[in-house]
Each structure stands twice: as structure tokens, then as C-alpha cells.
Amino acid sequence: MAYQPKSYKKFVATAATATLVASAIAPVASAAFSDVAEQYKTAVDYLSTKGISQGYPNGKFGTDDKIKRQDAAVMIAKALGASPTGTYANAGFTDVPKDRQWAVNFLVEKKIVSGKTAEKFGANDFTTRGEMSKIIANAYKFVGDATNTFPFTDVSDTFKQYVDALNEAGVAKGLTATKFGTGENVTRGQFALFVYRAETFVPAAPSVVSVSAINAKEIEINFNQAMDAVTAEDESNYSLLVAGATEANFTAVVDEDDAKKVVLTLTDAAKLANNEAVQLTVKKSVLSKSLVAAAADYAKTWVFSDTTATTITSVERNGNDLEVTFDDYVSALDLAKVDGVDKTSNVVAIAGLTKTITITGGATGLAAGSHSVLVSGVTDSAGNKSSVLNSTVTISSDTTAPSVSKVVQSADNTVKVTFDKVVTLVGTGNFQVKKNGYDLGVAVATTDNKTFTLTLSNVPPVTVYDAGVDTSNVTLVVSGFKATANNIVGNVYSSALTLSKDKVAPTVVSRFNTITNTGTAPAVNEFFDIHFDEVITLVGTTGQVTLTDKNGVRQNVTGATVVPNAAGDNKVLRIDSTNVKTSGAINAGAYNINLPAGFVKDASNNSSAAANVAITKSASAATVTATATAAVNVIAVEFTGTPMTTSATTLANYQLDGKALPAGTNIYFDGDTESVKIELPAGSVKSSGGAVLTLSDSVVSTTGSKVSAATKTINISTGFVDNVLPTLVSAKKASATTVELTFDEVLDDATVAALANDDFVVKVNGVTFAYTATTDVAGDNKLVLTTALYNTAQAVTVSVTTDSALASVKDVAGNTIKLGTAVTAN
């Protein structure tokens, strides 16, 4: 819950001083009241002493009496420091006595209470416990926490948030464990307890419950209570060290569904690497929703480790596309299938690290219902590679309009606009950027019709930035766009933007510097890769770079180029030295590379500072490298240069698309113990294209070496050919002279057209009817037989010939229809 903000506390403190002065003049203690039980004594003392509520002239406090709304208003107004001499806006109620209007006007002005109608406050109505909860919660700024378990069954949605807030704070408890008594009238004794507890409430200080890196980009911080978004999302309130170096490239966001959780998200370049030491300090200046600080800073140090591959969390349709979302950020995948059909070539190129990949056209042609989605070889932010991941997607109609979901500045003069779905632009001038009412020229580019890059012209007299000014206030208007999938036009989007020049020089992100092998196995060709924190351009020359080996000997540098990182951004400086290589592999040892100042620059022409980069090449244990190809459903697995044990010819040690090899598969060594052949049986390959072969850890060489982690899951992109026979699944009496046949897959139109009228046997009530013609709709799984006139009320059966010499209809992969199948027409 939240408590009084500082300004409100100051107001109440002033009020408290005033009431203390008043009480010094005419104090009334509960001891003077004859009807105050022990449970109410402290609260009644407090209200009486503060001048908030006095007893009756007969010497009683009226503990069990009910309170009218007008009387409750006076008491709350007094508690908050208002007085009859104050000036407050007239609320306009006609049923409030003149001597109480000041109190009601004050509470309405402060948005603490409202009337029952525009003209009636309900002044003489008794106050219910639900109404009192709302008044107290609003008066003292208590806010409920949506993550709490709500115990009461008699509280409507109207009062739930207020009852929850007071119950959590201990200000107002239920009458029983499950009954709050929302509709029951408040007594003066209960009221005294409510106000006393609210007045004296001291919110607990927040504390960190746990901290963990949930993946290489996200660090999750869990607090013991809901947190204030302003301070919790201020990155300066966190100190992050990685491998002993300060890391500031992250954002902090309070979870929108759980305000007790804050997630720090590192940039792609700043992501963690396995075995790195991480130290996070959460400063006590991160406040709770009650605006209370922690007692002290919180610090934790741990070693990052992520060896678990990602999993699918959801698959959603977006127009004709499918969006696959993972529980980790991912950078690449090897294979994607929808309903068993290879869709790898439809996957939109992954830029950087993302939790969602798009299969373009993945939903095209899918009927309403559930469909299978398979992906494999998904590389996550820590470099783990998944095996086969299976999920489903439910297809339903899309009737929503597109909208702008994100706008970000990506360079000095560049803005990226992202829609929530693929769009088609209608007309011209879809993106307008205005400065001081004048149009800036806009060049628009997109690769996926979902994210559009706007490059703003900087030509006088209207330039993006005025001379000597590093910021610019502009207005973006986006119009004329419709969803590609359903043609629904979106609403015009307008937003004010503040653009800023990049004044920060590119710097080396030392903990990501690596030795990269660009060779295709088994060939090796390694380079020193130096990663920067932003896109760079090479300015210097190769001769300006110095390289020393582990012995301090300077070695000749033979190349210096800028290359893209895994996200496709030119942030990597690649250094080559053939002097420190053997057969393309950099020799083990420690190396130092010195770069002069200004060797590279960023997109805003900021030059880099001089840098010394240390990179170590470690000797690695021997592992077996496996490769695989397929041709006409025979898989060839090669363990080049490594004799294998019979574990390499054990069927159980292999999976295809995450499933055991089909029954009838034949496996054997081919020529030597470095080559394995896997022959798949007929009827086991559903579609032509690619598949994923997974090798078990049990596959070992004669020296006991296992298959390397990088080649245990192999994406075989081509070579598999559909060998499943098309099967007749149903027939329909289309008319008195036609019968429509349906197969379980698409037919080859040419074979249907060449049908010799002997593939099928059509019988009406047991009598064979010859068919004289066959028609077919191109590209579908149906064909129509034309027969002699028959009575559609009689039974019609259709069977496929059992003579292979007569069968001629085939599927698109060339498989002849399954013989002997029979169906009854409906």
C-alpha cells in the first residue's frame, strides 16, 4: 500500500499541532466516559485528546452508536487539519446542514469522498464499513496491492481495493476471517479504531528478498512489498559490476503485474557470460510504494551460470504470421516446422537478441483449430542451443486494428516506429515529423513491414538540431496504415518526441572480446574479435595496431576490419595475425592488442579512446565433431578423423525432430567406423525438406571422447523426401452422377489428369459403376469421379485398386496412392 506523500504528511503534521493546542484547552480523556471498553480505550483517548471527536454531554462516548455520513465527514476533516474557518470549494449538496458544509466541501475537494448523487451527499444516512474504508483509504493514501490474497467474501468490487489496503495495513480488520461486514453500519468505537490506526500507522521498510540472473540479459530483484516506480526505475539507484568492471548499460522496470518485482535488462552488448562474477548493489534510495526507504543498501555477489537451453512460452498468430515467444532471449535457430512442413526459410532474420521470432506466412492456409509448431537449434542469450521444442498454436479470426506499439530513437537523426502487427501503408505521407510546425524530410525503410526506420533530413532552413543545441523537440504523426492480414485500418498516432545527439564515444566492452572461428568444420580460421558498445566505422589502418604474444614478443598484424556481431550490428573490430596461427587456429596463450585513439568512430563521429585489449586462447579438451547430410531419406553421419565405437550405430542414440527413429530404420558403419548411414523406412517422412538429427551423449569415440555440444544437434536443411503414400480418407456423393474423393495430402495434378479410369472401384448397392471422367482442382487433395446416373439414397462405396500396375494417382512427391483402401460415401 502507499502512505501519505511528503506534502500530505506536512499538512497533517500542521493539523496535529493545531489539535494538540486545542486539546490543551479542553482535554477529554476516555476515563471520563462511562461506556468505553478496554479494546477502544487507546483509540478514544487519541481522538478525544486531538479534538477529533468528543463525547456526549451525558458522559458517554457512544461507542456502540452508529455514525451519520455528515458526522463522519466532520471527524475526518478535523483529523486532517481542516476547520470551519477554512475556505473550500462548494460541493453543491443540498442535504448537508450549514454547520457541516465546510467538512464535506473539504473532503470532496481533496477527492476523499463523493456524494450519492450530484445533489445529495446522504448526510443523514448511516456510514457503512465499506464507505468508511473508502474514506479512510483516500484520506490517508492507503493503496491496495493486487498481488495480495483477498480473504473476504462479502466485499464488492466497489470497495475491494479500499478494504484490501486497510486490511493489509492492519487499520481495519474483518469481523471474521472471511467476513468484513461491508454493508454493516460503523459504530463510533470502530470509527475511533480506524482513525487511530490510520493516524499512527508507520509503514514497514522495504527489503530485498532475492536477486538472480534469470538469463544472460535479465536480473530479477524481488522485494517484500510493492515498490515506487519512480525510484525503482531510476538506474542510478543500482550499482552493477561484472567481472570487476562497472556495467551501466541496462534499464530498470517494475513488473506491471507484480510491483514487488524489478527487472534489470542489459543491452545485447552487455549481456552476461558464463563464469563471470556479478555484483549488484540495490541502494536504499529505492523506495516502497509507501515512499519509505530501506534500512540499508543491499548487495549480492554471485557467479553467473546458464547451461539450460530456452523453451517456448507461447505461439501466437499475427495476421498470416506466427510469432514464437521463448522464456529467454534468442539469437538464432536451425529449423522451424508448422504441422510437419518445413518453414525454416520463412523465419524472419533475427536482429540482436529477442524473445520472439516470426515465421512469415506460418499461419497461411491453416484452418481454425490447433496446429503443431516445432523449432530446433534455438540459441539463447548464454549461447545454449536447444534440441527439438514442440508447441501448438490456435488459429482464430483476427478482427483487431493495428497500432503503433513502440517509438525509439536509434541514431542522431533516426527514429524507429514499430507496429503491433504487419501493416500495409495506404497513400503517401504516412510518417510526418514536424519541428516548430515545419515538416522535416523523412526517408522511410523497412524489411518486415512491422518496424519502419525514419531517417530525418538535416537540410537548412529546417534542421533536426539547431546550431549549438544537442536536443530537438519534434512531433511524430503516423497515419494511413492497415493490417496486412485483415485490411482493418488503424487510428492516427501522434506523439511528441525529444531527440538527442549522441555525444558518447564508442568504448570496448572488454568482457565480450573473443576468439572467433569463421571456418567451416573441419577447417579452422580464427580471429581476435574486439566488441564495442555501439556501431563503429574503421578509421585507422592495420599498421597502427600492435599485438604482443604471451612472451611479450610483438607479432605482425595482418588484418583489421569491422564485422557484424550476432545481432547483425557492426560493433566488432576483427584483428588477424597469421603469425600466431597454426593451421588457421590461434595458438594457446595470452595476447595484448593495442588500439590508438581514434582508430574507430561511431555513427555520430565520436572517436574512440586508446585501448589495450587482453584476450586469452585456452587449450581445450578433445571432442568429436559430427556432421550429417541427407539424400533420398538416407542420412550420412560423419565423424571425420575419429574412429567410433558401436554406440554410433545404436538407433536409440539418435532422434529425428525430437522423436525416436521410426521402426524399420536401418543403421550401420559405411566403409569405416568414422561414417554411419541411417536408412529411413518407407512411410516415415511426412514432408520434403529439412529435419533435425540429435545425437545422445552416449555416442563416443574409441578413445572415449564425446560429441561436442555444438554438433550434438544437427540441422539437416535438405535431402528429406516425402515417402508417405497418399491415402483415400473419405468420399462424398457430390451429385447423382459424381463422387468426390478426399485424400490425406495434396495430389499431383498431372497424374490425376492422366488417370486411366482403373485406379478405383465404385459400387452402388454392391454393383460396380464405371466412371468415365476425372476432374481435379489444382493444388488440393480432392478429385471427382463422374459415373453413370445413380440413386443417391443408396449406399456407395469406393475402393482403391489392389493392383499396383493399375494405380497411377500420386502425391506431389511422386508417391503412388495406398492400395486397397475402401471408404463409404456420405
Side-chain angles (χ1 to χ4, degrees):
M1 94 271 327
Y3 197 47
Q4 300 118 315
K6 292 180 180 178
S7 59
Y8 216 91
K9 280 179 175 285
K10 181 178 180 181
F11 175 79
V12 174
T14 304
T17 302
T19 54
L20 280 172
V21 172
S23 65
I25 299 172
V28 180
S30 64
F33 300 128
S34 60
D35 64 339
V36 178
E38 187 64 29
Q39 70 190 84
Y40 299 120
K41 183 179 184 300
T42 302
V44 171
D45 276 349
Y46 182 87
L47 266 64
S48 298
T49 303
K50 298 286 187 183
I52 295 171
S53 178
Q54 303 298 331
Y56 297 149
N58 62 2
K60 294 184 179 182
F61 183 77
T63 310
D64 296 327
D65 291 351
K66 303 170 186 175
I67 301 178
K68 292 181 179 180
R69 283 169 57 86
Q70 60 179 323
D71 295 332
V74 171
M75 295 176 189
I76 292 295
K78 286 183 178 180
L80 297 181
S83 72
T85 60
T87 302
Y88 315 110
N90 188 353
F93 297 124
T94 60
D95 64 336
V96 180
K98 188 174 182 179
D99 64 340
R100 284 166 168 71
Q101 287 179 359
W102 67 271
V104 172
N105 290 342
F106 168 78
L107 296 184
V108 172
E109 182 180 286
K110 297 298 182 183
K111 294 182 171 53
I112 292 170
V113 72
S114 58
K116 293 196 171 183
T117 69
E119 297 180 349
K120 301 292 183 181
F121 179 69
N124 289 309
D125 295 344
F126 291 121
T127 307
T128 66
R129 285 171 57 86
E131 292 172 336
M132 182 54 66
S133 295
K134 180 177 180 179
I135 295 171
I136 295 292
N138 286 340
Y140 292 93
K141 308 301 179 186
F142 290 101
V143 178
D145 186 344
T147 63
N148 290 335
T149 300
F150 195 72
F152 305 117
T153 60
D154 66 333
V155 181
S156 67
D157 289 344
T158 302
F159 297 110
K160 186 174 181 179
Q161 60 177 313
Y162 309 112
V163 172
D164 174 67
L166 298 192
N167 180 62
E168 181 194 356
V171 171
K173 295 297 186 182
L175 298 178
T176 68
T178 59
K179 179 182 178 182
F180 184 75
T182 314
E184 297 187 19
N185 294 323
V186 175
T187 66
R188 285 170 59 89
Q190 292 171 345
F191 170 79
L193 287 174
F194 279 20
V195 176
Y196 170 71
R197 290 168 183 162
E199 286 268 312
T200 59
F201 175 76
V202 178
S207 61
V208 176
V209 176
S210 64
V211 168
S212 62
I214 56 178
N215 55 56
K217 272 178 63 77
E218 295 176 312
I219 297 174
E220 182 178 286
I221 308 167
N222 288 290
F223 292 85
N224 66 337
Q225 56 184 283
M227 303 304 291
D228 165 56
V230 174
T231 55
E233 294 186 349
D234 182 350
E235 287 81 11
S236 67
N237 284 329
Y238 307 90
S239 175
L240 181 64
L241 277 72
V242 180
T246 299
E247 179 56 75
N249 295 310
F250 63 85
T251 58
V253 176
V254 175
D255 190 287
E256 62 181 15
D257 297 320
D258 182 2
K260 297 178 182 177
K261 181 189 300 181
V262 177
V263 177
L264 308 184
T265 303
L266 288 85
T267 61
D268 287 2
K271 69 183 180 68
L272 305 175
N274 279 326
N275 301 316
E276 284 189 323
V278 184
Q279 181 178 342
L280 175 66
T281 299
V282 181
K283 299 178 183 178
K284 62 182 180 181
S285 47
V286 179
L287 307 180
S288 69
K289 264 194 174 178
S290 307
L291 303 181
V292 176
D297 292 350
Y298 171 91
K300 178 181 177 179
T301 302
W302 72 99
V303 175
F304 175 71
S305 177
D306 179 5
T307 59
T308 303
T310 188
T311 60
I312 297 174
T313 58
S314 68
V315 182
E316 301 290 340
R317 175 189 181 183
N318 184 1
N320 289 325
D321 301 338
L322 293 182
E323 295 181 342
V324 185
T325 301
F326 301 88
D327 65 350
D328 194 350
Y329 289 86
V330 301
S331 60
L333 59 73
D334 291 336
L335 179 73
K337 287 187 175 183
V338 179
D339 281 348
V341 178
D342 194 333
K343 296 288 185 179
T344 308
S345 61
N346 296 64
V347 174
V348 175
I350 301 174
L353 289 167
T354 178
K355 284 192 173 181
T356 300
I357 64 160
T358 300
I359 304 176
T360 304
T364 302
L366 297 184
S370 181
H371 299 267
S372 67
V373 177
L374 176 152
V375 294
S376 181
V378 184
T379 303
D380 67 16
S381 57
N384 302 304
K385 199 168 187 177
S386 78
S387 185
V388 176
L389 302 177
N390 288 289
S391 189
T392 59
V393 61
T394 300
I395 300 300
S396 58
S397 299
D398 178 11
T399 59
T400 59
S403 62
V404 174
S405 61
K406 184 170 63 175
V407 176
V408 296
Q409 181 180 1
S410 54
D412 286 2
N413 299 346
T414 305
V415 174
K416 287 189 176 181
V417 179
T418 301
F419 294 87
D420 61 354
K421 58 181 65 179
V422 175
V423 299
T424 299
L425 299 181
V426 181
T428 58
N430 308 93
F431 301 91
Q432 292 185 324
V433 180
K434 294 179 179 290
K435 177 185 175 184
N436 298 327
Y438 293 96
D439 283 332
L440 290 169
V442 179
V444 182
T446 183
T447 58
D448 59 4
N449 290 315
K450 189 172 182 181
T451 297
F452 292 78
T453 299
L454 314 183
T455 302
L456 310 181
S457 65
N458 200 33
V459 179
V462 183
T463 57
V464 179
Y465 300 95
D466 294 334
V469 179
D470 294 334
T471 61
S472 177
N473 295 317
V474 301
T475 301
L476 168 68
V477 179
V478 185
S479 62
F481 55 91
K482 65 178 183 178
T484 303
N486 58 21
N487 290 319
I488 296 178
V489 177
N491 295 325
V492 174
Y493 172 89
S494 179
S495 178
L497 304 176
T498 299
L499 306 180
S500 301
K501 285 184 179 180
D502 175 13
K503 305 295 289 184
V504 181
T507 58
V508 174
V509 187
S510 60
R511 58 197 175 85
F512 293 111
N513 297 328
T514 58
I515 291 176
T516 302
N517 178 23
T518 65
T520 302
V524 176
N525 190 19
E526 292 183 333
F527 299 89
F528 298 102
D529 277 357
I530 301 172
H531 291 246
F532 283 79
D533 61 352
E534 56 182 314
V535 173
I536 56 173
T537 301
L538 183 64
V539 178
T541 61
T542 301
Q544 294 176 288
V545 182
T546 60
L547 168 70
T548 53
D549 63 17
K550 62 181 179 179
N551 298 314
V553 177
R554 180 171 294 186
Q555 302 290 345
N556 185 43
V557 175
T558 55
T561 57
V562 173
V563 298
N565 60 12
D569 299 323
N570 288 330
K571 296 182 178 181
V572 180
L573 175 65
R574 176 162 289 173
I575 303 297
D576 189 21
S577 173
T578 56
N579 289 20
V580 298
K581 291 182 179 180
T582 302
S583 300
I586 293 175
N587 302 322
Y591 297 87
N592 278 286
I593 301 172
N594 287 283
L595 304 175
F599 192 71
V600 299
K601 66 179 182 179
D602 64 15
S604 298
N605 290 318
N606 299 306
S607 296
S608 61
N612 178 272
V613 179
I615 300 181
T616 300
K617 170 68 179 296
S618 301
S620 57
T623 55
V624 179
T625 299
T627 60
T629 57
V632 195
N633 305 328
V634 176
I635 305 171
V637 184
E638 297 292 335
F639 304 95
T640 306
T642 310
M644 305 298 291
T645 65
T646 54
S647 62
T649 56
T650 302
L651 282 175
N653 287 337
Y654 297 86
Q655 287 186 332
L656 196 62
D657 281 350
K659 299 177 182 178
L661 294 175
T665 299
N666 190 25
I667 186 169
Y668 54 90
F669 281 125
D670 185 34
D672 54 46
T673 58
E674 298 176 11
S675 303
V676 173
K677 285 288 180 67
I678 302 173
E679 297 175 347
L680 301 176
S684 64
V685 180
K686 184 177 180 180
S687 70
S688 300
V692 179
L693 182 69
T694 305
L695 283 67
S696 163
D697 274 337
S698 299
V699 178
V700 296
S701 69
T702 54
T703 59
S705 297
K706 294 184 176 182
V707 177
S708 68
T711 61
K712 280 171 55 180
T713 300
I714 306 172
N715 176 45
I716 306 174
S717 58
T718 60
F720 293 93
V721 179
D722 175 5
N723 64 8
V724 177
L725 306 184
T727 302
L728 176 64
V729 293
S730 66
K732 181 174 73 173
K733 303 170 189 175
S735 72
T737 57
T738 57
V739 180
E740 182 184 86
L741 307 185
T742 300
F743 292 80
D744 63 353
E745 57 180 302
V746 175
L747 301 176
D748 176 26
D749 300 324
T751 63
V752 174
L755 183 63
N757 297 342
D758 50 13
D759 280 48
F760 308 101
V761 176
V762 180
K763 291 185 178 183
V764 179
N765 199 28
V767 177
T768 300
F769 271 49
Y771 53 93
T772 57
T774 305
T775 58
D776 173 44
V777 176
D780 74 351
N781 61 336
K782 302 178 185 296
L783 61 83
V784 177
L785 305 179
T786 300
T787 68
L789 186 65
Y790 65 90
N791 189 324
T792 57
Q794 292 188 293
V796 176
T797 61
V798 180
S799 59
V800 180
T801 180
T802 58
D803 188 345
S804 60
L806 298 178
S808 57
V809 175
K810 299 180 180 180
D811 64 15
V812 292
N815 300 300
T816 303
I817 55 175
K818 187 175 181 180
L819 304 178
T821 305
V823 297
T824 299
N826 55 32

